[in-house]
Amino acid sequence: MKIGIVLSGGGIRGIAHLGVLKALQDQKITISMITGTSAGAIVGALFANGIDPYSALQIFQETRILRFLRPAFLSPALLSLESTIPLFKRYLPHDSFENLKIPLIITSTNFNKGKLVYFQKGDLIRKVLASSCIPGVFNPLMIDGEFYVDGGVLNNFPIEPLLNNCDFIIGSSCNHLPEIDKFRNIKHVFERAAVLSINSDMEEKLKCVDFLVEPYGLGQTSLFDTKRAEEIFWLAHEETLKQIDHLKTKMEAKEKGIIAK
């Protein structure tokens, strides 16, 4: 059975995908295809290149990627991702979709045309970074003469490429928001509004997901709260293992042509 996984965007919350993938890997569940946006594109590229999920977490912690960011002078954003390209080349030296061990499709937003784009061929690193360019925070990246920004602007949960290519689809979402009864500050208001926006079409998309891992309340974590990286990893890992028997039951039922509840 061909198993696909879709990895949402979500800044530092995307570390949760590594925890999910580690649990699946430990349970000998083989992923055949990956789609991802933003943080999900970064995690997807590393995993598709054969890097162990916990090793990827350690890479993040040891390199402290935020130290590689540089101010984006005379541009419409605060920071530039261009300076991180050499760092990514350490772990993706071939810089190619075609040389990944698992097929990967990532999304980005063509800022010139205002259209969603799926990348799955050619140079890899620049397209992964383009998928992660949060508008206003990171300077848009130029690819083939046009500017690209975060894929989450138009599609933060790119399940579509998996629909006709996989027999079973696992979703990993790191943006769950609990109900609240008060606002902490204006930053809280803006961050919650942003997550609500990217979650707006999730209800419809989840109809196509066979199994979802979505740690409770993770959407409350700030995009750049790097101190929570390890905690987020194990939170998602534990959540996946809690549901692993249910996942295996659904996989067996799907393989036999039985609809599992």
Side-chain angles (χ1 to χ4, degrees):
M1 182 164 62
K2 191 173 182 180
I3 301 171
I5 188 166
V6 51
L7 310 175
S8 74
I12 193 62
R13 300 189 296 267
I15 291 290
H17 303 319
L18 292 173
V20 173
L21 289 166
K22 180 62 175 172
L24 297 177
Q25 187 181 69
D26 290 346
Q27 292 293 316
K28 311 300 182 187
I29 295 173
T30 301
I31 300 300
S32 304
M33 188 175 183
I34 303 169
T35 61
T37 290
S38 197
I42 295 173
V43 169
L46 295 175
F47 186 75
N49 202 44
I51 296 175
D52 175 79
Y54 189 70
S55 296
L57 171 64
Q58 292 177 310
I59 289 169
F60 173 81
Q61 292 175 314
E62 291 169 6
T63 58
R64 297 180 184 178
I65 191 170
L66 296 182
R67 294 186 307 169
F68 286 80
L69 300 174
R70 296 291 179 269
F73 296 112
L74 302 176
S75 70
L78 299 174
L79 301 167
S80 171
L81 286 174
E82 297 271 359
S83 56
T84 67
I85 291 176
L87 172 62
F88 278 92
K89 283 189 175 178
R90 294 183 197 173
Y91 307 103
L92 301 165
H94 52 74
D95 193 13
S96 165
F97 278 90
E98 287 78 6
N99 286 318
L100 293 171
K101 295 176 173 62
I102 303 172
L104 171 70
I105 299 176
I106 61 176
T107 66
S108 188
T109 301
N110 184 313
F111 217 41
N112 295 74
K113 298 177 180 178
K115 293 184 178 180
L116 183 71
V117 175
Y118 291 100
F119 289 125
Q120 56 185 313
K121 296 179 181 179
D123 296 345
L124 174 65
I125 295 172
R126 197 169 186 83
K127 291 166 185 173
V128 167
L129 293 177
S131 179
S132 309
C133 278
I134 302 170
V137 177
F138 299 122
N139 203 32
L141 259 71
M142 183 171 284
I143 298 174
D144 297 330
E146 296 187 310
F147 288 108
Y148 287 82
V149 297
D150 199 306
V153 171
L154 295 178
N155 190 347
N156 200 55
F157 195 74
I159 190 173
E160 293 80 2
L162 300 178
L163 296 179
N164 296 318
N165 291 296
C166 296
D167 305 304
F168 192 92
I169 298 175
I170 298 172
S172 180
S173 173
C174 56
N175 298 303
H176 178 271
L177 282 175
E179 293 185 11
I180 59 173
D181 55 15
K182 62 181 179 180
F183 303 113
R184 296 190 298 272
N185 49 44
I186 191 169
K187 179 173 177 283
H188 181 210
V189 172
F190 281 122
E191 288 185 344
R192 185 174 177 86
V195 177
L196 287 170
S197 177
I198 63 175
N199 281 343
S200 62
D201 60 352
M202 280 295 288
E203 185 174 347
E204 192 63 29
K205 291 192 174 191
L206 290 181
K207 295 176 183 177
C208 302
V209 172
D210 294 295
F211 180 79
L212 176 71
V213 182
E214 188 178 41
Y216 178 83
L218 198 54
Q220 294 184 117
T221 301
S222 174
L223 288 174
F224 303 106
D225 190 358
T226 56
K227 293 180 181 178
R228 289 198 65 196
E230 181 121 12
E231 177 190 350
I232 290 169
F233 178 96
W234 291 115
L235 180 70
H237 184 269
E238 181 181 358
E239 182 64 30
T240 308
L241 291 181
K242 281 181 182 177
Q243 301 184 54
I244 206 69
D245 289 340
H246 183 49
L247 167 60
K248 291 179 177 179
T249 297
K250 295 195 78 171
M251 288 172 59
E252 290 172 6
K254 191 73 177 282
E255 198 163 23
K256 295 176 181 177
I258 303 170
I259 299 176
K261 299 295 184 183

